Amino acid sequence: MAISIWSATDSKVLIDSTEVEGLQSLEYKVNRSRSDIIAVGKDVRQGVEYGVKVITGTLKVKSSCPALDQKLNQKEVEQSKFTVSAQLKKGSTQKTVSFQDCYLDGREFSIDVNGVGISIYTFTATDIQES
């Protein structure tokens, strides 16, 4: 299996259908809860059982992202839901990572001595698909 190295300059991230301008990074983590299955009288596990899948992510953006700021200020749950679609590219090779039913958990903002503000948006997703 060949390794794909994606180019940040060729790739883009969309919130719903709006491209995120000034994107610095997209990071995400997929965790699954797991329980060991044990048998009476045995000191080794017999298997495992998987539970809920938890998907968390962060988007780091120069200054701010109006589309995400609007979602953060929504009072209606359905209006605050969004999708994130990362279109990863390197030359003619392409891959799409889609996060469904996302909700913002929060936003952090920092500015350093170089004078460039960075907003960090944290979100959770119901599911993730790669194609």
Side-chain angles (χ1 to χ4, degrees):
M1 187 165 129
I3 295 176
S4 296
I5 299 176
W6 307 110
S7 169
T9 56
D10 292 341
S11 302
K12 63 182 175 179
V13 172
L14 305 171
I15 302 298
D16 293 329
S17 59
T18 304
E19 184 173 354
V20 177
E21 298 293 330
L23 181 72
Q24 299 300 293
S25 71
L26 164 68
E27 301 170 21
Y28 66 93
K29 182 193 254 186
V30 180
N31 283 320
R32 301 226 18 214
S33 63
R34 180 188 56 80
S35 298
D36 292 331
I37 299 172
I38 57 172
V40 176
K42 304 270 183 165
D43 61 352
V44 295
R45 71 177 182 196
Q46 301 301 302
V48 296
E49 178 180 56
Y50 286 103
V52 69
K53 178 170 42 172
V54 178
I55 302 161
T56 58
T58 60
L59 291 162
K60 293 181 184 177
V61 181
K62 279 189 179 178
S63 295
S64 67
C65 177
L68 289 174
D69 289 338
Q70 182 181 17
K71 297 292 183 187
L72 194 57
N73 293 324
Q74 293 292 331
K75 296 192 188 310
E76 297 291 324
V77 172
E78 281 305 307
Q79 292 177 344
S80 64
K81 184 168 54 173
F82 61 97
T83 59
V84 175
S85 179
Q87 299 171 352
L88 309 175
K89 291 184 181 180
K90 176 65 176 177
S92 62
T93 307
Q94 186 172 318
K95 176 181 179 177
T96 301
V97 179
S98 298
F99 302 86
Q100 290 80 42
D101 296 337
C102 299
Y103 293 96
L104 279 177
D105 290 338
R107 173 185 174 203
E108 296 177 39
F109 180 81
S110 65
I111 192 165
D112 61 18
V113 73
N114 295 322
V116 178
I118 299 288
S119 291
I120 302 172
Y121 299 91
T122 57
F123 68 92
T124 57
T126 302
D127 203 5
I128 184 173
Q129 293 180 349
E130 298 182 20
S131 58

